[in-house]
Amino acid sequence: MLILFSSIMICFIIPMIVMLFATTFSKKLIHDREKSSPFECGFDPKSSARMPFSLRFFLIAVIFLIFDVEIALILPIVIIMKTSNIFVWMLSTMFFMIVLLTGLYYEWYQGTFKWAE
């Protein structure tokens, strides 16, 4: 029991000491106005640093990420098929696919996939 307690204490004390040293020695003491500016090259910005962003591109990227995560959820379904009840597996898989296809149809119907008008 003493060995377990001492190892737990070591696991907490060593990272705390490392974090304490890192925070005390990593502080920059010199604050430069040019380094704090939006551009570190030293030039003052001539125009706004904000550039216009295409909302269509953002929507396409979000939809891609959503369907990418859904593919990661679909892949284990094939592995589960061997170990589960086939009827329950079929119902849950069909429900999941219907929800995905409904979402895809809705996005298509809303015109999100039209890149140029």
Side-chain angles (χ1 to χ4, degrees):
M1 187 69 179
L2 183 63
I3 295 172
L4 179 66
F5 181 71
S6 62
S7 62
I8 289 174
M9 289 304 293
I10 289 173
C11 289
F12 281 114
I13 290 174
I14 291 177
M16 287 297 200
I17 291 172
V18 170
M19 286 190 297
L20 181 69
F21 280 135
T23 55
T24 55
F25 293 124
S26 70
K27 302 249 185 219
K28 292 184 180 180
L29 299 176
I30 301 171
H31 294 289
D32 191 11
R33 183 182 72 85
E34 297 297 330
K35 290 287 187 179
S36 299
S37 69
F39 298 98
E40 290 188 12
C41 61
F43 296 110
D44 291 329
K46 293 181 181 178
S47 63
S48 175
R50 304 272 182 200
M51 296 194 58
F53 187 72
S54 173
L55 188 60
R56 286 247 186 240
F57 176 76
F58 178 73
L59 288 174
I60 294 289
V62 168
I63 290 170
F64 172 75
L65 287 175
I66 290 170
F67 280 104
D68 194 37
V69 170
E70 289 168 353
I71 288 173
L73 293 173
I74 288 173
L75 289 176
I77 289 176
V78 178
I79 299 170
I80 294 172
M81 182 177 74
K82 293 180 182 177
T83 59
S84 66
N85 184 358
I86 194 70
F87 182 70
V88 173
W89 177 84
M90 185 67 79
L91 281 178
S92 61
T93 304
M94 292 306 291
F95 178 72
F96 187 69
M97 293 301 230
I98 288 172
V99 169
L100 289 182
L101 290 174
T102 305
L104 178 65
Y105 175 73
Y106 178 74
E107 293 294 332
W108 196 329
Y109 179 75
Q110 290 294 321
T112 308
F113 298 123
K114 293 179 183 173
W115 187 259
E117 291 179 353

